Amino acid sequence: MKALVFSESSTLAAQVISGLKSVLDFSVAVPKDQADSVSEYGAKEVISLDGNPQMDAFGKKISELMNSYDFLFVPSTVLGREVAGYVSAALGQISVPEISKFEIVDSKCKTSSLSLGGKSIIDIISDAKVLTVAPGFADPVKVSEKSKISVMTLPDSSVSVISEEEKKGTGVNIESAKVIVSIGRGIGKKESISIVDPLLKAVHGELAGSRPVCLDYQWLSEDRQVGLSGKKVNPNVYIAVGISGQIQHIAGMRGSKIVVAINRDKSAPIFEECDYGIVGDLFQVIPKLVAAING
Amino acid sequence: MVNVIVLIKQMPDLEQIRSDPGTGKPIKNGVPTKLETLSENSIEAAVTLKEKYGGKVTAILFGNEQSSASMKRAYAMGVDDGYIITGYKESNYLFTARVLAEKIKELPHDVIILGNQSADTFSGFLSGQLSAILGEPLLGNSVSIEIEGDIVKVKRNLENKSLVISAKKPAIVSVSQEINEPRLPPVMQIMAAGRKPIHTEVPKIQPSGSVQIVSEISPKSDRKKIIFEDVDKGVSEVGKILKEATR
Ligand SMILES: Cc1cc2nc3c(=O)[nH]c(=O)nc-3n(C[C@H](O)[C@H](O)[C@H](O)COP(=O)(O)OP(=O)(O)OC[C@H]3O[C@@H](n4cnc5c(N)ncnc54)[C@H](O)[C@@H]3O)c2cc1C
C-alpha cells in the first residue's frame, strides 16, 4: 500500500519513513527548504512544495495528492495537526491522533495512542486514512540511494503573513541527557533559577523545565520543555524541582529511570510519580542536597 | 461589535483517574468531570474580545446530558448564550467536526474560538477540520488576538518560529494555553449562571466510518514513592542515592 508523509520538518518525516518503510511505500511532501534533507531516507518520491507555506495551502494540496495514496501520516506539530485535520475533513476520512504504533490488520488500521492526557494508552481499530504521529516514533535511518525530487506549487492561502521571527534554540538536546534537573513554576522567578546551578554541577545534569517555565514565562528556551507538548525524555535520573506533576508533564518524563521530586506541598501529584520525594521549600532543600551529594 | 462563537468541551478530571491494580485499566466511572483546560482559555479569549469590542459570545458544547455544569461555568465567565449538543462519540473526530460545523452554520459569527489541542485527547484536529468544512481561514495556536475592521490578526506560535498573521472575517482562531489566565468568576455570577437557560439539541447527522477502541490500559508506574517529610533525613538519603546514580 502507498502512503504519503507530510511534515514541515524533514527530521520528523524521516522518523515515520524509517519506522514504516518495510510495510508501506512512501512518498513525502515537505516545504521546499526541507526537500534535500528528507531525500536520504528511502522515500520513493520527494514532493517539494513551493509557495506561501500556510496551513490551508498545504491542506488543499495534500488533499489533492491523496487521490494516489492509501494513508497520510503527519508528525505531530502545531501545523501538522492542523493540516491533518484539514485533509481528513476535506476527504471525509477518519483520523487518529498521536500514534506510537501502526499496523494493518484485515485491511483496517490498528494504532496505539496516548489518551486521557497521558493517563492511558488506547489501541484503536479503525478505517483511518489520516494519522498524526507522536514524536520519537522511530530512529531515522539513512539509505544509500537518494529519492527523486519533484516540485509542486502550493495554491494561494487565505492567510497573510505580516511578520515572522525565528526562535533561537540553544542547541541543547535534553532527550539525550543522562541526568536532568527540571524546574517548575515553584522556582518563582527567573532570577532564582541560579539556585539549581550547584545542583546541576553536582549531578552533571542538564537543565529542563515545565511548560509554564518554558512557554508562559520563557525563563527557559522552548527546547527545554518536558511533557506531552514538549520533549519526551528518558534519563537515568530526573529531578523535579517545584513541579506539581500534572499528567501532561508526567507524560514527558515517564521513561526516566529514577525520579526525585522536591515540592513543598505534600499532596502534589508528583509524589505519586517519583521514587524519592522530599517535602520542603526548594530554596532550603537544594543547598542541603548539594552539600549531601558533594560531602 | 463582534459576534463570537466559542467551542468548548467537558472532560474527566484527569488528576482523579486511578487505575485498577488488577486489570491495569483506568477507572473512569465516578470520576468528576470539568471544563476542559483550553476551553477555559478559549472562553476567556472570547469574553475578552466582547469586552473590548462589544458584541455577543455564544458557546457550543458537543457532549452529553451531563454537560450542563460546564456550560454554567462558561456562563459564569461571561458567555451570553449556550448550546449543548448531545451524543458525543469518543475518538470519532470527523463526526465531532461535522456536528459542530452544522450548528455553526446556523449562527452568524465573525470569529470562532477554540483550543488548539484539548488536554485529554490532544488531537488538535478540530481547527483544521472546521477550516476545511466551513471554508473559513484558520489563525492557529494564537497567543494574542486583535480585530481591525474586517481583519482578524493574531500572533501564532510554532515550534521554531512565531508569526503575526491575519485573515478576513469570519475566521477561526485556535488559542494556545499561554494566551491568558482564565478568570475565576465571582459567586454572584456563578449563581446567576445557574438560572440561565441552556439550549439542548441532538446532532442532525449520523457518524460515518468505524473507530473502535479495542483496549485501554494505564501506563505502568512502579515508582518506589519513598517520601521524606523530614528534610534533613531526606537530603542525606537522597544525596547518597544521587551521588551513586550520577557518578
Ligand atoms: C494540551 C496541554 C498540553 C500540555 N503540555 C505540557 C507539557 O508538555 N509540559 C508541561 O510541563 N505541562 C504541560 N501542560 C500544562 C500542565 O497541565 C501544567 O499546567 C503544568 O505542567 C504545570 O507546571 P508546573 O508544575 O511548573 O506549575 P504548577 O502546577 O503551578 O506547580 C508548581 C509547584 O511548585 C510547588 N512549589 C511552589 N513553591 C515552592 C517552593 N518554594 N519549594 C518547593 N515547591 C514549591 C507547588 O507546591 C506546586 O506543586 C499542558 C497542558 C495542556 C492543557
Side-chain angles (χ1 to χ4, degrees), chain B residues 28-104:
Chain B
K28 290 194 272 188
N29 276 345
V31 174
T33 52
K34 62 183 229 182
L35 188 56
E36 186 272 327
T37 320
L38 272 118
S39 297
E40 288 200 27
N41 298 96
S42 303
I43 294 168
E44 179 64 38
V47 173
T48 307
L49 284 183
K50 177 180 79 169
E51 288 165 351
K52 193 164 163 195
Y53 303 104
K56 180 181 173 190
V57 178
T58 305
I60 309 175
L61 189 160
F62 186 25
N64 55 38
E65 281 76 12
Q66 283 79 48
S67 303
S68 56
S70 291
M71 188 59 84
K72 285 181 181 158
R73 177 95 189 157
Y75 281 162
M77 289 175 73
V79 167
D80 301 295
D81 204 8
Y83 293 86
I84 291 176
I85 306 171
T86 58
Y88 177 75
K89 296 260 180 300
E90 194 180 349
S91 293
N92 195 331
Y93 302 97
L94 185 61
F95 183 53
T96 301
R98 284 175 166 172
V99 168
L100 288 169
E102 285 298 309
K103 185 69 212 168
I104 291 168

Coordinates of all heavy atoms in Angstrom, one line a residue, chain B residues 28-104:
Chain B
K28 N -12.8 4.9 35.0 CA -13.4 6.2 34.6 C -14.7 6.5 35.2 O -15.2 7.6 35.3 CB -13.5 6.2 33.0 CG -12.1 6.3 32.4 CD -12.2 6.6 30.9 CE -12.4 5.4 30.1 NZ -12.3 5.7 28.6
N29 N -15.4 5.4 35.7 CA -16.7 5.6 36.3 C -16.6 6.4 37.6 O -15.7 6.1 38.4 CB -17.3 4.2 36.7 CG -18.0 3.6 35.5 OD1 -18.3 4.4 34.5 ND2 -18.3 2.3 35.5
G30 N -17.5 7.3 37.8 CA -17.5 8.1 39.1 C -16.5 9.2 39.1 O -16.4 9.9 40.1
V31 N -15.6 9.3 38.1 CA -14.6 10.4 38.1 C -15.4 11.7 37.8 O -16.1 11.8 36.8 CB -13.5 10.2 37.1 CG1 -12.6 11.4 37.0 CG2 -12.7 8.9 37.5
P32 N -15.2 12.8 38.6 CA -15.9 14.0 38.3 C -15.5 14.6 36.9 O -14.3 14.4 36.5 CB -15.6 14.9 39.4 CG -14.4 14.3 40.1 CD -14.4 12.9 39.8
T33 N -16.3 15.3 36.3 CA -16.0 15.9 35.0 C -15.7 17.4 35.2 O -16.1 18.0 36.3 CB -17.1 15.8 34.0 OG1 -18.3 16.3 34.5 CG2 -17.2 14.4 33.5
K34 N -15.0 18.1 34.3 CA -14.8 19.5 34.4 C -14.7 20.1 33.0 O -14.6 19.4 32.0 CB -13.6 19.8 35.3 CG -12.3 19.2 34.7 CD -11.2 19.5 35.7 CE -10.0 20.1 35.0 NZ -8.8 20.4 35.8
L35 N -14.7 21.4 33.0 CA -14.5 22.1 31.7 C -13.0 21.9 31.3 O -12.1 22.0 32.1 CB -14.8 23.6 32.0 CG -14.8 24.6 30.8 CD1 -15.8 24.1 29.8 CD2 -15.1 26.0 31.3
E36 N -12.8 21.5 30.1 CA -11.5 21.2 29.6 C -10.6 22.4 29.7 O -11.1 23.5 29.5 CB -11.6 20.7 28.1 CG -10.4 20.2 27.5 CD -9.6 21.3 26.8 OE1 -10.2 22.2 26.3 OE2 -8.4 21.2 26.8
T37 N -9.3 22.2 30.0 CA -8.4 23.3 30.2 C -8.4 24.4 29.2 O -8.5 25.6 29.5 CB -6.9 22.7 30.3 OG1 -7.0 21.5 31.0 CG2 -6.0 23.7 31.0
L38 N -8.2 24.0 27.9 CA -8.1 25.0 26.9 C -9.4 25.6 26.5 O -9.5 26.7 25.9 CB -7.4 24.5 25.6 CG -5.9 24.7 25.8 CD1 -5.1 23.4 25.8 CD2 -5.4 25.7 24.8
S39 N -10.5 24.9 26.9 CA -11.8 25.5 26.7 C -11.9 26.8 27.6 O -12.5 27.8 27.3 CB -12.9 24.5 27.1 OG -12.9 23.4 26.2
E40 N -11.3 26.7 28.8 CA -11.3 27.8 29.7 C -10.6 29.0 29.1 O -11.0 30.2 29.1 CB -10.7 27.5 31.1 CG -11.6 26.6 31.9 CD -11.2 26.6 33.4 OE1 -10.6 27.7 33.8 OE2 -11.4 25.6 34.1
N41 N -9.4 28.7 28.5 CA -8.7 29.8 27.8 C -9.4 30.3 26.7 O -9.4 31.5 26.4 CB -7.3 29.2 27.3 CG -6.4 28.8 28.5 OD1 -6.4 27.6 28.8 ND2 -5.7 29.7 29.1
S42 N -10.2 29.5 26.0 CA -11.0 29.9 24.8 C -12.1 30.9 25.2 O -12.3 31.9 24.6 CB -11.6 28.7 24.1 OG -10.5 27.8 23.7
I43 N -12.8 30.5 26.3 CA -13.8 31.3 26.9 C -13.3 32.7 27.3 O -13.8 33.7 26.9 CB -14.5 30.7 28.1 CG1 -15.3 29.4 27.6 CG2 -15.5 31.6 28.7 CD1 -15.7 28.5 28.8
E44 N -12.2 32.6 28.0 CA -11.5 33.9 28.4 C -11.2 34.8 27.2 O -11.5 36.0 27.2 CB -10.2 33.6 29.2 CG -9.5 34.8 29.7 CD -10.3 35.6 30.7 OE1 -11.0 35.0 31.5 OE2 -10.2 36.9 30.7
A45 N -10.7 34.2 26.2 CA -10.3 34.9 25.0 C -11.6 35.5 24.3 O -11.6 36.7 23.9 CB -9.6 34.0 24.0
A46 N -12.6 34.7 24.3 CA -13.9 35.2 23.6 C -14.5 36.3 24.4 O -14.9 37.3 23.8 CB -14.8 34.0 23.5
V47 N -14.5 36.1 25.7 CA -15.2 37.2 26.6 C -14.3 38.5 26.6 O -14.9 39.6 26.5 CB -15.4 36.6 28.0 CG1 -15.9 37.7 28.9 CG2 -16.4 35.5 28.0
T48 N -13.0 38.3 26.5 CA -12.1 39.5 26.4 C -12.4 40.3 25.1 O -12.5 41.5 25.1 CB -10.7 39.0 26.5 OG1 -10.5 38.2 27.6 CG2 -9.7 40.2 26.5
L49 N -12.6 39.5 24.0 CA -13.0 40.2 22.7 C -14.3 41.0 22.9 O -14.4 42.1 22.4 CB -13.1 39.2 21.6 CG -11.8 38.6 21.0 CD1 -12.1 37.7 19.8 CD2 -10.8 39.7 20.6
K50 N -15.3 40.4 23.5 CA -16.5 41.0 23.7 C -16.4 42.3 24.6 O -16.9 43.3 24.2 CB -17.5 40.1 24.4 CG -18.9 40.7 24.7 CD -19.9 39.8 25.4 CE -19.5 39.6 26.8 NZ -20.6 38.9 27.6
E51 N -15.6 42.2 25.6 CA -15.4 43.3 26.5 C -14.7 44.5 25.8 O -14.9 45.6 26.0 CB -14.6 42.9 27.7 CG -15.4 42.1 28.7 CD -14.6 41.3 29.8 OE1 -13.4 41.3 29.7 OE2 -15.2 40.8 30.6
K52 N -13.8 44.1 24.8 CA -13.0 45.1 24.1 C -13.8 45.8 23.0 O -13.8 47.0 22.8 CB -11.7 44.4 23.5 CG -10.7 45.4 23.1 CD -9.4 44.6 22.9 CE -8.4 45.4 22.0 NZ -7.3 44.6 21.6
Y53 N -14.5 44.9 22.2 CA -15.2 45.5 21.0 C -16.7 45.5 21.1 O -17.4 46.0 20.2 CB -14.8 44.6 19.8 CG -13.3 44.5 19.6 CD1 -12.6 43.4 19.9 CD2 -12.6 45.6 19.0 CE1 -11.2 43.2 19.6 CE2 -11.2 45.5 18.8 CZ -10.6 44.3 19.1 OH -9.2 44.2 18.8
G54 N -17.3 45.0 22.2 CA -18.7 44.9 22.3 C -19.2 43.7 21.5 O -18.4 43.2 20.7
G55 N -20.4 43.2 21.7 CA -20.9 42.1 20.9 C -21.5 41.0 21.8 O -21.9 41.2 22.9
K56 N -21.3 39.8 21.3 CA -22.0 38.6 22.0 C -21.1 37.4 21.8 O -20.5 37.2 20.8 CB -23.3 38.4 21.2 CG -24.1 37.3 21.8 CD -25.4 37.0 21.1 CE -26.1 35.8 21.6 NZ -27.2 35.4 20.8
V57 N -21.1 36.6 22.9 CA -20.4 35.3 22.9 C -21.4 34.1 23.0 O -22.2 34.1 23.9 CB -19.4 35.2 24.0 CG1 -18.7 33.8 23.9 CG2 -18.4 36.3 23.9
T58 N -21.4 33.2 22.0 CA -22.2 32.0 22.0 C -21.3 30.8 22.2 O -20.4 30.7 21.4 CB -23.0 31.9 20.7 OG1 -23.8 33.1 20.6 CG2 -24.0 30.8 20.8
A59 N -21.6 30.0 23.1 CA -20.8 28.8 23.3 C -21.5 27.6 22.8 O -22.8 27.4 22.9 CB -20.5 28.5 24.8
I60 N -20.8 26.7 22.1 CA -21.3 25.4 21.7 C -20.5 24.3 22.3 O -19.3 24.3 22.3 CB -21.3 25.2 20.1 CG1 -21.9 26.4 19.4 CG2 -22.0 23.9 19.7 CD1 -21.7 26.4 17.9
L61 N -21.2 23.3 23.0 CA -20.5 22.2 23.6 C -21.1 20.9 23.0 O -22.3 20.7 23.2 CB -20.8 22.3 25.1 CG -20.0 21.4 26.1 CD1 -20.0 21.9 27.5 CD2 -20.5 19.9 26.0
F62 N -20.3 20.1 22.4 CA -20.7 18.8 22.0 C -20.4 17.8 23.1 O -19.2 17.6 23.3 CB -20.0 18.4 20.6 CG -20.5 17.2 20.0 CD1 -21.8 16.7 20.2 CD2 -19.7 16.5 19.1 CE1 -22.2 15.5 19.6 CE2 -20.1 15.3 18.5 CZ -21.4 14.8 18.8
G63 N -21.4 17.3 23.7 CA -21.1 16.4 24.9 C -22.3 15.5 25.1 O -22.7 14.8 24.2
N64 N -22.8 15.5 26.3 CA -23.9 14.6 26.6 C -24.8 15.3 27.6 O -24.6 16.5 28.0 CB -23.4 13.3 27.2 CG -22.5 13.5 28.4 OD1 -22.7 14.3 29.2 ND2 -21.4 12.7 28.4
E65 N -25.8 14.6 28.2 CA -26.8 15.2 29.1 C -26.1 15.7 30.3 O -26.7 16.6 31.0 CB -27.8 14.1 29.5 CG -28.9 13.9 28.4 CD -28.4 13.0 27.3 OE1 -27.3 12.4 27.3 OE2 -29.2 12.9 26.2
Q66 N -24.9 15.2 30.6 CA -24.3 15.7 31.9 C -23.4 16.9 31.7 O -22.6 17.3 32.6 CB -23.4 14.5 32.5 CG -24.2 13.5 33.2 CD -24.9 12.5 32.2 OE1 -24.2 12.0 31.3 NE2 -26.2 12.2 32.4
S67 N -23.5 17.6 30.6 CA -22.5 18.6 30.3 C -23.0 20.0 30.8 O -22.3 21.0 30.6 CB -22.3 18.7 28.8 OG -21.8 17.5 28.3
S68 N -24.1 20.1 31.5 CA -24.6 21.4 31.8 C -23.8 22.2 32.8 O -23.7 23.4 32.8 CB -26.1 21.4 32.2 OG -26.2 20.5 33.3
A69 N -23.1 21.4 33.7 CA -22.2 22.1 34.7 C -21.1 22.9 33.9 O -20.8 24.1 34.3 CB -21.6 21.1 35.6
S70 N -20.5 22.4 32.9 CA -19.5 23.1 32.1 C -20.1 24.3 31.4 O -19.5 25.4 31.4 CB -18.8 22.2 31.1 OG -18.1 21.2 31.8
M71 N -21.3 24.2 30.9 CA -21.9 25.3 30.2 C -22.2 26.4 31.3 O -22.1 27.6 31.0 CB -23.2 24.9 29.5 CG -23.8 26.0 28.6 SD -22.6 26.6 27.4 CE -22.8 25.4 26.1
K72 N -22.6 26.0 32.5 CA -22.9 27.0 33.5 C -21.6 27.8 33.9 O -21.6 29.0 34.1 CB -23.5 26.3 34.7 CG -25.0 26.0 34.5 CD -25.7 25.3 35.6 CE -27.1 25.0 35.2 NZ -27.7 24.0 36.1
R73 N -20.6 27.0 33.9 CA -19.3 27.6 34.2 C -19.0 28.7 33.1 O -18.5 29.8 33.4 CB -18.2 26.6 34.2 CG -16.8 27.0 34.4 CD -16.4 27.0 35.9 NE -15.2 27.6 36.1 CZ -14.8 28.1 37.2 NH1 -15.6 28.0 38.3 NH2 -13.6 28.7 37.4
A74 N -19.2 28.3 31.9 CA -19.0 29.2 30.7 C -19.9 30.5 30.9 O -19.4 31.6 30.7 CB -19.3 28.5 29.4
Y75 N -21.1 30.3 31.3 CA -22.0 31.4 31.5 C -21.4 32.3 32.6 O -21.4 33.6 32.5 CB -23.4 31.0 32.0 CG -24.3 30.5 30.9 CD1 -25.4 29.7 31.2 CD2 -24.1 30.8 29.5 CE1 -26.3 29.2 30.2 CE2 -25.0 30.4 28.5 CZ -26.1 29.6 28.9 OH -26.9 29.2 27.9
A76 N -20.9 31.7 33.7 CA -20.4 32.5 34.8 C -19.2 33.3 34.4 O -19.0 34.4 34.9 CB -20.1 31.5 36.0
M77 N -18.5 32.8 33.4 CA -17.3 33.5 32.9 C -17.6 34.6 31.9 O -16.8 35.4 31.5 CB -16.3 32.5 32.3 CG -15.6 31.6 33.3 SD -14.5 30.4 32.5 CE -13.1 31.5 32.0
G78 N -18.9 34.7 31.5 CA -19.3 35.8 30.6 C -19.9 35.4 29.3 O -20.1 36.3 28.5
V79 N -20.1 34.1 29.1 CA -20.7 33.7 27.8 C -22.2 34.0 27.9 O -22.9 33.9 28.9 CB -20.5 32.1 27.6 CG1 -21.4 31.6 26.5 CG2 -19.1 31.8 27.3
D80 N -22.8 34.5 26.8 CA -24.2 35.0 26.8 C -25.2 33.9 26.5 O -26.3 34.0 27.0 CB -24.3 36.1 25.7 CG -23.4 37.3 26.0 OD1 -23.5 37.9 27.0 OD2 -22.4 37.5 25.2
D81 N -24.8 33.0 25.6 CA -25.8 32.1 25.1 C -25.1 30.7 24.9 O -24.0 30.7 24.5 CB -26.4 32.6 23.8 CG -27.8 32.0 23.5 OD1 -28.4 31.4 24.4 OD2 -28.3 32.3 22.4
G82 N -25.8 29.6 25.2 CA -25.1 28.3 25.1 C -25.9 27.2 24.5 O -27.1 27.1 24.8
Y83 N -25.3 26.4 23.7 CA -25.9 25.2 23.1 C -25.2 24.0 23.5 O -24.0 23.9 23.3 CB -25.9 25.3 21.5 CG -26.8 26.4 21.0 CD1 -26.3 27.7 20.8 CD2 -28.1 26.2 20.6 CE1 -27.1 28.7 20.3 CE2 -28.9 27.2 20.1 CZ -28.4 28.5 19.9 OH -29.1 29.5 19.4
I84 N -25.9 23.0 24.0 CA -25.3 21.7 24.3 C -25.9 20.8 23.2 O -27.1 20.7 23.0 CB -25.6 21.2 25.7 CG1 -24.9 22.0 26.7 CG2 -25.2 19.7 25.8 CD1 -25.2 21.6 28.1
I85 N -25.0 20.1 22.5 CA -25.4 19.1 21.5 C -25.0 17.7 22.2 O -23.9 17.5 22.6 CB -24.8 19.2 20.2 CG1 -25.0 20.7 19.6 CG2 -25.3 18.2 19.2 CD1 -24.2 21.0 18.4
T86 N -26.0 16.9 22.3 CA -25.7 15.6 23.0 C -25.3 14.5 21.9 O -25.6 14.7 20.8 CB -26.9 15.1 23.8 OG1 -28.0 15.0 22.9 CG2 -27.3 16.1 24.9
G87 N -24.8 13.4 22.4 CA -24.4 12.3 21.5 C -23.0 12.3 21.1 O -22.6 11.7 20.0
Y88 N -22.1 12.9 21.9 CA -20.7 12.8 21.6 C -20.1 11.4 21.5 O -20.5 10.6 22.3 CB -19.9 13.6 22.7 CG -18.4 13.6 22.6 CD1 -17.8 14.4 21.7 CD2 -17.6 12.8 23.4 CE1 -16.4 14.5 21.6 CE2 -16.2 12.8 23.3 CZ -15.6 13.6 22.4 OH -14.3 13.7 22.3
K89 N -19.3 11.1 20.5 CA -18.7 9.8 20.3 C -17.2 9.9 20.5 O -16.5 10.6 19.7 CB -19.0 9.3 18.9 CG -20.4 9.0 18.6 CD -20.8 7.5 18.8 CE -22.2 7.3 18.5 NZ -23.2 8.0 19.4
E90 N -16.7 9.3 21.5 CA -15.3 9.3 21.8 C -14.5 8.9 20.6 O -14.8 7.9 19.9 CB -14.9 8.4 23.0 CG -13.6 8.7 23.6 CD -13.3 7.7 24.8 OE1 -14.2 7.1 25.3 OE2 -12.2 7.7 25.2
S91 N -13.4 9.6 20.3 CA -12.4 9.2 19.2 C -12.9 9.4 17.8 O -12.2 9.1 16.8 CB -11.9 7.8 19.4 OG -11.1 7.7 20.6
N92 N -14.2 9.8 17.5 CA -14.6 10.0 16.2 C -14.6 11.5 15.9 O -15.5 12.2 15.9 CB -16.0 9.4 15.9 CG -16.3 9.3 14.4 OD1 -15.8 10.1 13.6 ND2 -17.1 8.4 14.0
Y93 N -13.3 11.9 15.5 CA -13.1 13.4 15.3 C -13.8 14.0 14.1 O -14.2 15.1 14.1 CB -11.6 13.6 15.2 CG -10.8 13.1 16.4 CD1 -10.2 11.8 16.4 CD2 -10.8 13.8 17.5 CE1 -9.6 11.3 17.5 CE2 -10.1 13.4 18.7 CZ -9.5 12.1 18.6 OH -8.9 11.6 19.7
L94 N -14.0 13.1 13.1 CA -14.7 13.6 11.9 C -16.2 13.9 12.3 O -16.7 15.0 11.9 CB -14.6 12.5 10.8 CG -15.2 12.9 9.5 CD1 -14.5 14.1 8.9 CD2 -15.2 11.7 8.5
F95 N -16.8 13.1 13.0 CA -18.2 13.3 13.5 C -18.2 14.5 14.3 O -19.1 15.4 14.1 CB -18.6 12.0 14.3 CG -20.0 12.1 14.7 CD1 -21.1 12.3 13.8 CD2 -20.4 11.9 16.1 CE1 -22.4 12.4 14.3 CE2 -21.7 11.9 16.5 CZ -22.7 12.2 15.6
T96 N -17.3 14.7 15.2 CA -17.3 15.9 16.1 C -17.3 17.2 15.2 O -18.1 18.1 15.4 CB -16.1 15.9 17.0 OG1 -16.1 14.7 17.8 CG2 -16.0 17.1 17.9
A97 N -16.4 17.2 14.3 CA -16.2 18.4 13.4 C -17.5 18.6 12.6 O -17.9 19.8 12.5 CB -15.0 18.2 12.5
R98 N -18.1 17.6 12.1 CA -19.3 17.7 11.2 C -20.5 18.2 12.0 O -21.2 19.1 11.6 CB -19.6 16.4 10.5 CG -18.7 16.2 9.4 CD -18.9 14.8 8.8 NE -18.3 14.7 7.5 CZ -18.2 13.6 6.8 NH1 -18.8 12.5 7.3 NH2 -17.6 13.5 5.6
V99 N -20.6 17.7 13.3 CA -21.7 18.1 14.1 C -21.6 19.6 14.5 O -22.5 20.3 14.4 CB -21.8 17.2 15.4 CG1 -22.8 17.8 16.4 CG2 -22.2 15.8 15.0
L100 N -20.4 19.9 14.9 CA -20.1 21.3 15.3 C -20.3 22.3 14.1 O -20.9 23.3 14.2 CB -18.7 21.5 15.9 CG -18.6 20.9 17.3 CD1 -17.1 20.9 17.7 CD2 -19.4 21.7 18.3
A101 N -19.8 21.8 12.9 CA -20.0 22.7 11.7 C -21.4 22.9 11.4 O -21.8 24.0 11.0 CB -19.2 22.1 10.5
E102 N -22.3 21.9 11.5 CA -23.7 22.0 11.2 C -24.3 23.1 12.1 O -25.1 23.9 11.6 CB -24.4 20.7 11.5 CG -24.2 19.6 10.5 CD -24.8 20.0 9.1 OE1 -26.0 20.4 9.0 OE2 -24.0 19.9 8.1
K103 N -23.9 23.1 13.3 CA -24.5 24.1 14.3 C -24.0 25.5 14.0 O -24.7 26.5 13.9 CB -24.2 23.7 15.7 CG -24.8 24.6 16.8 CD -26.3 24.4 16.8 CE -27.1 25.6 17.2 NZ -28.5 25.5 17.0
I104 N -22.6 25.6 13.7 CA -22.0 26.9 13.4 C -22.7 27.5 12.2 O -22.9 28.7 12.2 CB -20.5 26.7 13.2 CG1 -19.8 26.3 14.5 CG2 -19.8 27.9 12.7 CD1 -18.4 25.8 14.4

